[in-house]
Amino acid sequence: NSLRLLEPYVVYSNFQSLSNATSCQLKNMGFPNFITVAGGAPAMYAVSLYAVVHILQDGVVARKILPQVTEIIPVDQVPFAVVFLWVCVAEVISVINTSLIALFSEEGLDSAHPRLQKLRNENKFAHRSISAHENTLESFSYFCASVIIASIQGVAPRFAAEVSILAILTRFVYIVLYWCNAAFFRSVAYIWGWWCCAILLAVAALPQAAAYFPACGKI
């Protein structure tokens, strides 16, 4: 089991080279730049899907994190608690961004035109933090929708909780990687979170998809 856990990371160790090689090959074949840049995207999504499915099938989150969470919150309430946590994370980043803008601006915080001040801000870290906040808000809509639809459709609460926890963990990683300017791995973290939402929706919409996840049969 410990060796199986390493499989996604072994794949990712060579993934950036694969993505770059795909883009270079397309460029050598005469494709336009917008196609060569996107050349590695399908591979990135495919490998990310493999990694997320592998983690959910192995039950890492269910064994390591879910028991501690369910000591505080009933398992069927965990996805909604994660929705609330997502909102809190977005608000915390907003406060951090406001503080950064006030810190790096000569005139302090412009409460009358805060969005214009954000655009005028020249600090790169603040720009990345603002982008992380905006993406967190954008991603919230489909994460929240996937949780609600899974609840309405009667997806096994334990599985919904597991996927929700994995989604918020990838969001935390995404934000930190954005702050650290680790663009490639930040994109990987984003796609992991996107696949969490997609898998939750797929299981809710297609009963056949539940067969791939043992936790779907557990209450």
Side-chain angles (χ1 to χ4, degrees), residues 8-23 36-48 51 128 170 173-193:
Y9 306 102
V10 172
V11 172
Y12 268 111
S13 66
N14 296 316
F15 178 67
Q16 190 166 14
S17 297
L18 171 64
S19 179
N20 292 337
T22 304
S23 298
T36 60
V37 170
M44 182 181 290
Y45 273 87
V47 175
S48 295
R128 292 198 301 273
T170 61
V173 172
Y174 173 88
I175 293 167
V176 172
L177 290 174
Y178 221 138
W179 285 340
C180 296
N181 199 25
F184 173 78
F185 291 104
R186 182 198 78 216
S187 298
V188 172
Y190 168 82
I191 295 173
W192 277 42

Side-chain angles (χ1 to χ4, degrees), residues 78-162:
V78 170
F80 298 101
V82 173
V83 169
F84 173 71
L85 180 58
W86 196 296
V87 174
C88 293
V89 169
E91 186 59 26
V92 168
I93 302 175
S94 178
V95 172
I96 292 173
N97 293 345
T98 301
S99 302
L100 287 172
I101 291 170
L103 178 65
F104 293 112
S105 176
E106 294 181 358
E107 67 273 16
L109 180 64
D110 183 2
S111 297
H113 305 94
R115 293 180 183 267
L116 288 177
Q117 190 178 32
K118 286 181 181 179
L119 294 175
R120 294 196 304 267
N121 175 64
E122 296 181 356
N123 183 271
K124 292 183 178 180
F125 179 83
H127 271 298
R128 292 198 301 273
S129 189
I130 291 168
S131 297
H133 175 248
E134 291 174 348
N135 184 271
T136 299
L137 293 177
E138 293 162 0
S139 302
F140 174 75
S141 58
Y142 50 81
F143 172 70
C144 187
S146 65
V147 167
I148 293 172
I149 293 172
S151 177
I152 293 172
Q153 291 296 100
V155 172
R158 187 175 180 82
F159 178 72
E162 186 178 352

Side-chain angles (χ1 to χ4, degrees), residues 24-33 35-36:
C24 290
Q25 183 64 29
L26 291 174
K27 186 175 182 179
N28 292 336
M29 294 170 65
F31 284 93
N33 285 336
I35 294 181
T36 60

